Amino acid sequence: MLVRPLTGRLPRLPLPRGAVDTQIHIYLPGYPAQPGGPGLPVGSLPTPEQYRQFMTWLGIDRVIVTQGNAHQRDNGNLIACLAEMGSVAKGVAVIDETVPDAELDALAAAGVVGARIMDLPGGAVGLSALEAVDARASARNWMVAVQFDGSNILDHEARLSNMQSRWVFDHHGKFFSGVTPDSPQIDALKRLIDRGRCWFKFAGCYESSKSGGPDYEDIAAVARELAAYAPERIVWGTNWPHNLAKQQADYPDDADLTDTVLGWLPEEHARKLALVDNPEALFGLTAYQE
């Protein structure tokens, strides 16, 4: 059975106080997987209690919990997990144009600050609903997390340029066809960033890297380019509990992965931006106080 380590050596690059992990999924018993999505993660259920141990290990102070694909459009597990986590957590839910305002009110009261677009297999709401989700989110000052195969970003640039919400391009862009810092897809991403509403998330590099670990040099090259181009637009997430890992050999060492990814940021100030200031701006979080 897959076992997720919750403690170990400390990262060599210490996280700044107030650090926000902007990409995780957590689960509680009693919320089964829904039709249309993948099953629940393998191994023991990755619970809020486990994630709190993980936070202590890596030095994370705050977290954004994203609705997992397993639960599709049923946000019940997310709401329960946010209640379990308390004030250190906010959430990104799955909504569409049919969700009543009263349900959005309840999500906001539970700590939801964003909506998710996932246009990949198993996703609940895809790019066909982009404008509708954007309208619902911007009306509440929520952000939108957008995930699709970034190889096709040129096809979607015009629509993304018109978004009214703050939004983040998830998971290193998931450029499944492969890109370099000089690729036209990265030029398009820079244009979107320049419009003032787009952020870029460092999370789950192993999901789209062609060169592979431990260095993920293809992802690293683009990450360094974007961190230099727009340091105020980078956010970071652990992608815990690494749902694509089905056996122990596939499961990353979280301290090593943290060091690798944060090493793509050039210095301490850039890391504070990506882990504290930028997520506060993107997700509308209150400024961290000791």
Side-chain angles (χ1 to χ4, degrees):
M1 183 176 78
L2 186 147
V3 176
R4 299 176 182 86
L6 301 175
T7 187
R9 74 159 183 88
L10 298 179
R12 288 184 290 273
L13 294 172
L15 276 58
R17 292 309 308 272
V20 183
D21 181 352
T22 69
Q23 181 67 39
I24 75 155
H25 307 292
I26 46 178
Y27 306 83
L28 283 166
Y31 297 93
Q34 299 296 307
L40 294 171
V42 302
S44 66
L45 200 63
T47 62
E49 180 182 1
Q50 289 182 21
Y51 182 72
R52 282 189 175 277
Q53 295 178 59
F54 182 80
M55 292 176 79
T56 300
W57 171 21
L58 292 191
I60 297 162
D61 289 306
R62 298 177 288 178
V63 63
I64 305 298
V65 183
T66 298
Q67 168 81 343
N69 289 332
H71 292 122
Q72 293 289 287
R73 302 182 189 210
D74 180 351
N75 292 295
N77 173 77
L78 174 64
I79 292 171
C81 287
L82 290 174
E84 190 83 7
M85 291 297 299
S87 62
V88 302
K90 299 295 182 183
V92 173
V94 169
I95 64 168
D96 61 19
E97 69 278 6
T98 69
V99 176
D101 284 338
E103 185 173 335
L104 296 182
D105 292 341
L107 288 169
V112 167
V113 295
R116 186 182 199 197
I117 294 285
M118 170 64 164
D119 201 76
L120 290 169
V125 173
L127 284 168
S128 63
L130 180 67
E131 287 79 8
V133 171
D134 178 39
R136 305 298 297 277
S138 63
R140 292 175 175 267
N141 197 32
W142 287 3
M143 56 75 66
V144 179
V146 181
Q147 187 174 163
F148 62 92
D149 181 351
S151 309
N152 304 318
I153 193 171
L154 293 168
D155 297 336
H156 306 300
E157 183 180 0
R159 297 174 67 202
L160 294 167
S161 295
N162 290 327
M163 288 187 68
Q164 299 303 302
S165 309
R166 302 179 308 280
W167 66 280
V168 64
F169 196 19
D170 256 345
H171 287 268
H172 293 279
K174 285 198 171 174
F175 299 99
F176 287 126
S177 295
V179 293
T180 71
D182 298 322
S183 294
Q185 290 91 341
I186 302 306
D187 291 337
L189 179 54
K190 289 177 177 178
R191 290 192 294 269
L192 290 166
I193 289 172
D194 289 344
R195 294 187 69 84
R197 293 191 176 94
C198 174
W199 279 253
F200 186 76
K201 186 186 290 178
F202 287 14
C205 57
Y206 47 78
E207 293 187 357
S208 57
S209 175
K210 292 187 170 298
S211 60
D215 296 325
Y216 307 102
E217 276 301 334
D218 54 341
I219 303 293
V222 171
R224 292 188 187 103
E225 174 71 17
L226 293 172
Y229 183 79
E232 75 285 356
R233 293 298 168 143
I234 305 300
V235 296
W236 164 84
T238 62
N239 206 36
W240 195 87
H242 310 292
N243 282 350
L244 292 187
K246 305 302 182 187
Q247 55 189 0
Q248 205 68 43
D250 300 329
Y251 198 86
D253 181 304
D254 282 293
D256 287 349
L257 185 60
T258 297
D259 285 333
T260 296
V261 175
L262 295 188
W264 301 336
L265 299 166
E267 34 73 31
E268 184 177 353
H269 177 65
R271 291 192 290 275
K272 182 178 182 295
L273 284 175
L275 274 67
V276 182
D277 299 347
N278 298 348
E280 287 178 351
L282 172 62
F283 294 98
L285 306 180
T286 302
Y288 183 75
Q289 296 182 341
E290 297 277 354

